[in-house]
Amino acid sequence: MSDLVSILDGNSFVVSDRNGDIVPSVRFPTGVFSFDTRFISAWILSVNGERLNPLSTDDVQYYEARFFLVPGEPTHYVDAKLSVIRHRSIGGSFDERLTVFNHDGRAMDILVRLDIAGDFADLFEIKNSELDKRGRITTEIADNELRMIYQRDRFRRMAVISTSVPPTEIDESGLAWKFRLDPRDQWVTDLRVETVVQAAPGYPTEVSIQRHARQTRARKQQELQDWLAAAPRLVCENASLRGAYERGLVDLAALQYIPLITAGQSLPAAGLPWFMTMFGRDSIITCLQSLPFLPGMAATTLRALALAQGGKLDDFRDEEPGKIIHEVRYGETAAFEEQPHTAYFGAADSTPLFLILLDEYERWSGDADLVRELEHDARRALAWIDGYGNLLGDGYVWYQPRNTETGLVNQCWKDSPDAISYRDGRIPGLPRATCEIQGYAYDAKIRTARLARTCWNDPAFAQRLEAEAAALKERFNRDYWVERGEYYALALDRDGGQVDALSSNMGHLLWSGIVAPDRAARVVEHLVGPRLYSGWGVRTLASDQGRYNPVGYHVGTVWPFDNSLIAWGMWRYGFRREAGLIASSIIAAAPFFEHRLPEAFAGYDRSVTVHPVQYPTACSPQAWSAATPMLLLRAVLGLEPVGDRLFIDPALPDEIGRVELLDIPGRWGAMDAFGRPEVSRKR
């Protein structure tokens, strides 16, 4: 990824090499993408028959980049008579300005050629390295416009390429300009790519993928400035923390995505390049992490998820009444039901997480009107937990895909096929009940009981939920506790046996509050012990487990978001020093990724690697990684809403140092928080 340059705007993005070219690839998502389709698969610039090479590349903002280029291979002594600047941006359309400079004292005859192709690959086809198009690609040529059209039955996608300077030549594979460039002069043309889709049923037949009006760079810049100005201001000694926080704010702005169902309101897409769409779990957790900083995302996310809530039984989509959606896709494979993601419900944790976010949002914002607006949806979510989620009738939330062909086998956050295993590496049968989902269900009932009492005027319902939560907590601590190792099992198998791998999922139990108080210390010891803690963070799976792999997606890597929830849980149980250790470790890793925390990085021990090792296919930016510094700040500053006041109880580790967080928004208006390490206070 370090050799690639990406710009993005919601679920539209462009990925190229460092000279700005898009070279066709079946296996990696280089190209111009929107709504899960690659509209442009080749975009290659040459001057006088030569490809260009970069002198430098500037990622100006998340939505624009500049490439400074010369023909041929650059040498130690660069004396180019000609240079090129490509300045591109995305914001409703993909725009690129080409500027060719003549640095010589003589006129030059110039041929600029832009080779273009569109394969209209579905993102899943690229991810699975299986490009097998069943539709037909046609090309239409006008005076200064090239149209590439993909049609398969009623599924239609189109890329419209236009230029401000009419090309000398135009054909099905690109555009060319021939001109004479005077001494010390320059030549400029502005290129535009419009992406057009046939929309989902119930929407207009064709929709240009724009935010109702094309966004100029000036407008995008103003939007970003407004976004940053609305967030609390961080003043701190630790440059890594400051850099990660500021980078996270910008990345969350970049990932703002407007689904077709939200009437122009945005919520966070999950991550570039594979998950540029609405994900129930990812969007909810991102909103939970960022609530003290960017509360507006939560209300839109809650409304969108309620609107898309399951309403029927649909085995293909794993849909059940009351269940909260997992993800929505708009590409060809979803449209033709080659995979179920037109609206896919294959997540057992999104539903309790939805209830947790609803309560946490009201606690911060005081927006009881939204809680009342979504009462019916919340009650349906609770009914799913007790009904369809309670698959075996034992009071636990289990998962087993209804769609046995293309559905997800694991429907928890660790959703790769080998993520859930016994300590010896064996894979349990289905159904499975992972531990953290039970914690979420417990927390959801406790929180929804509060809402029933304070917002819905239903104390009897509140009392019932609290009794159910108490029974779940007692039962959970009996069934999931591994006596021999003194930790919580990763899951239960279909026979009620413990799937006894030692994993990071225990940290989520601390956050949920389901851990028995007399067991919390032992859980924390495991989380910061050498088997789980790498020095850079908590691994997803302990290093002595059968399936441990430091570069395995969910079986040994370190996930920043996972660690932020673990730190939050440690703070809840009073383990402030350990919470600070996790926070300072993750923040220390940030500079090695240019302060942009990735989706995951390798789980090698810190004593083995001088710096954290990048996971090869990690999404970056990733929404819940971008929000990780925010939740870590909340944990070390001890921020907690209590009624109409903000409770502040800081415990800063020495590595982070002094911190001020100014203008924290909430039902109290705006407040400031201040903290410094204990050592500093004693001085």
Side-chain angles (χ1 to χ4, degrees):
M1 292 289 288
S2 60
D3 293 329
L4 299 174
V5 177
S6 60
I7 58 174
L8 66 153
D9 177 46
N11 80 336
S12 298
F13 61 97
V14 181
V15 181
S16 72
D17 62 22
R18 299 203 70 80
N19 64 359
D21 282 344
I22 296 168
V23 179
S25 172
V26 176
R27 298 189 175 186
F28 195 84
T30 51
V32 178
F33 291 81
S34 193
F35 279 68
D36 301 314
T37 298
R38 176 164 63 186
F39 286 81
I40 301 294
S41 56
W43 186 265
I44 300 172
L45 182 66
S46 63
V47 177
N48 292 336
E50 286 188 287
R51 293 276 302 276
L52 304 171
N53 283 279
L55 296 175
S56 69
T57 302
D58 292 345
D59 299 346
V60 183
Q61 295 289 0
Y62 67 81
Y63 53 84
E64 67 176 322
R66 280 195 294 257
F67 306 84
F68 300 88
L69 311 166
V70 293
E73 292 289 340
T75 61
H76 177 70
Y77 179 70
V78 177
D79 187 19
K81 306 299 183 187
L82 180 147
S83 67
V84 176
I85 296 177
R86 307 173 84 162
H87 187 183
R88 64 178 46 157
S89 63
I90 192 165
S93 60
F94 168 49
D95 296 285
E96 180 164 270
R97 168 167 287 191
L98 297 180
T99 306
V100 181
F101 297 90
N102 180 2
H103 304 295
D104 203 358
R106 297 176 296 174
M108 290 186 182
D109 291 319
I110 305 294
L111 171 61
V112 173
R113 171 77 188 181
L114 184 64
D115 289 302
I116 306 170
D119 63 3
F120 295 92
D122 185 290
L123 200 58
F124 277 81
E125 293 177 313
I126 301 168
K127 191 174 184 180
N128 298 327
S129 301
E130 296 175 354
L131 186 58
D132 180 21
K133 305 308 293 179
R134 302 180 188 181
R136 180 167 172 256
I137 299 175
T138 57
T139 304
E140 297 177 357
I141 298 172
D143 291 339
N144 65 332
E145 188 175 274
L146 180 63
R147 290 173 173 248
M148 294 181 295
I149 303 162
Y150 180 75
Q151 186 93 31
R152 178 183 171 189
D153 296 340
R154 294 182 61 189
F155 182 89
R156 189 171 187 266
R157 299 290 184 266
M158 178 167 61
V160 182
I161 302 101
S162 58
T163 172
S164 61
V165 176
T168 311
E169 299 175 2
I170 183 167
D171 55 45
E172 293 185 352
S173 59
L175 313 172
W177 299 263
K178 292 180 180 179
F179 54 90
R180 188 167 182 82
L181 191 57
D182 291 336
R184 316 295 181 190
D185 203 356
Q186 65 186 49
W187 174 89
V188 178
T189 190
D190 291 311
L191 294 153
R192 170 161 292 149
V193 178
E194 298 278 6
T195 55
V196 180
V197 308
Q198 180 173 338
Y203 292 92
T205 303
E206 271 191 1
V207 179
S208 180
I209 304 304
Q210 301 179 30
R211 293 185 175 178
H212 306 293
R214 185 175 297 115
Q215 299 198 29
T216 64
R217 285 196 294 270
R219 181 177 171 185
K220 293 293 296 178
Q221 181 63 33
Q222 185 59 53
E223 282 186 356
L224 178 59
Q225 289 175 358
D226 293 344
W227 175 271
L228 296 176
R233 185 164 67 92
L234 176 65
V235 180
C236 64
E237 300 170 342
N238 189 301
S240 298
L241 175 60
R242 184 170 58 252
Y245 175 67
E246 292 173 353
R247 179 77 259 178
L249 286 174
V250 171
D251 283 345
L252 286 176
L255 290 165
Q256 289 305 292
Y257 155 61
I258 302 177
L260 296 175
I261 63 173
T262 59
Q265 300 299 307
S266 65
L267 52 79
L272 183 86
W274 304 116
F275 308 121
M276 297 298 286
T277 188
M278 179 172 73
F279 271 72
R281 175 194 306 121
D282 297 54
S283 296
I284 291 169
I285 290 178
T286 300
C287 290
L288 282 167
Q289 293 171 299
S290 61
L291 250 179
F293 303 84
L294 302 164
M297 290 194 301
T300 302
T301 298
L302 287 164
R303 285 193 173 98
L305 293 175
L307 191 61
Q309 190 174 24
K312 62 182 184 299
L313 286 175
D314 184 334
D315 289 351
F316 181 66
R317 292 177 175 81
D318 277 330
E319 182 179 358
E320 294 162 341
K323 197 176 187 182
I324 295 298
I325 201 166
H326 176 50
E327 67 177 297
V328 180
R329 295 288 185 171
Y330 298 93
E332 181 179 358
T333 59
F336 287 92
E337 297 191 345
E338 293 159 15
Q339 44 95 0
H341 294 81
T342 44
Y344 183 56
F345 291 81
D349 52 1
S350 298
T351 306
L353 285 169
F354 170 81
L355 296 167
I356 291 169
L357 177 60
L358 182 62
D359 173 72
E360 190 71 7
Y361 170 71
E362 195 279 334
R363 292 176 70 234
W364 278 89
S365 67
D367 186 359
D369 289 341
L370 181 62
V371 176
R372 286 187 281 269
E373 175 188 330
L374 300 182
E375 177 182 355
H376 176 67
D377 310 288
R379 288 178 182 266
R380 292 180 67 223
L382 286 164
W384 179 88
I385 291 173
D386 292 334
Y388 293 102
N390 185 13
L391 190 61
L392 299 187
D394 57 1
Y396 293 130
V397 177
W398 297 79
Y399 62 78
Q400 178 171 353
R402 289 176 172 273
N403 181 340
T404 57
E405 294 184 4
T406 55
L408 287 171
V409 173
N410 281 319
Q411 301 194 352
C412 54
W413 85 260
K414 294 178 179 177
D415 58 4
S416 52
D418 64 344
I420 307 303
S421 67
Y422 299 96
R423 63 175 297 130
D424 61 9
R426 289 176 297 123
I427 300 293
L430 293 167
R432 299 166 189 162
T434 57
C435 65
E436 82 286 354
I437 298 179
Q438 316 317 314
Y440 301 160
Y442 167 80
D443 197 20
K445 291 197 171 187
I446 291 291
R447 288 171 176 270
T448 312
R450 187 190 75 85
L451 298 179
R453 189 172 281 115
T454 60
C455 299
W456 302 336
N457 192 28
D458 194 345
F461 186 48
Q463 189 173 3
R464 192 193 96 191
L465 289 172
E466 288 166 345
E468 291 172 354
L472 173 58
K473 184 173 185 176
E474 181 180 359
R475 186 170 60 249
F476 176 85
N477 278 277
R478 179 194 68 213
D479 295 343
Y480 279 79
W481 185 249
V482 181
E483 291 287 353
R484 187 176 61 178
E486 296 186 303
Y487 63 91
Y488 288 98
L490 172 57
L492 295 184
D493 62 26
R494 62 189 172 194
D495 299 318
Q498 294 176 341
V499 180
D500 57 350
L502 179 63
S503 71
S504 66
N505 300 52
M506 282 193 307
H508 294 229
L509 300 178
L510 292 170
W511 164 51
S512 72
I514 201 172
V515 173
D518 61 343
R519 291 174 173 172
R522 194 70 182 104
V523 170
V524 172
E525 286 176 21
H526 282 298
L527 290 167
V528 297
R531 292 185 292 169
L532 277 171
Y533 179 66
S534 74
W536 296 111
V538 178
R539 301 179 179 99
T540 45
L541 188 66
S543 58
D544 62 346
Q545 306 298 286
R547 285 193 175 267
Y548 170 73
N549 179 352
V551 290
Y553 194 50
H554 290 127
V555 291
T557 49
V558 174
W559 287 60
F561 103 90
D562 188 26
N563 278 258
S564 72
L565 292 178
I566 291 169
W568 193 11
M570 290 175 172
W571 179 89
R572 175 173 184 164
Y573 276 81
F575 293 90
R576 309 299 170 82
R577 184 189 67 80
E578 291 82 358
L581 174 67
I582 301 300
S584 59
S585 300
I586 293 294
I587 293 303
F592 296 99
F593 303 101
E594 298 179 347
H595 295 105
R596 173 181 276 169
L597 288 168
E599 177 184 27
F601 52 86
Y604 295 113
D605 195 87
R606 192 166 179 172
S607 63
V608 175
T609 59
V610 178
H611 53 77
V613 176
Q614 186 163 341
Y615 182 76
T617 58
C619 287
S620 184
Q622 176 93 351
W624 57 19
S625 293
T628 287
M630 301 170 199
L631 185 53
L632 293 176
L633 274 168
R634 175 179 178 174
V636 297
L637 286 171
L639 305 180
E640 190 69 13
V642 180
D644 290 330
R645 301 178 63 186
L646 178 63
F647 179 75
I648 303 168
D649 183 20
L652 275 296
D654 292 341
E655 294 83 358
I656 288 181
R658 183 174 180 272
V659 170
E660 294 178 33
L661 194 62
L662 309 178
D663 295 325
I664 303 166
R667 60 198 303 164
W668 44 81
M671 285 190 65
D672 301 338
F674 166 80
R676 59 184 179 182
E678 288 287 340
V679 172
S680 301
R681 287 204 284 256
K682 290 177 181 177
R683 290 173 185 168

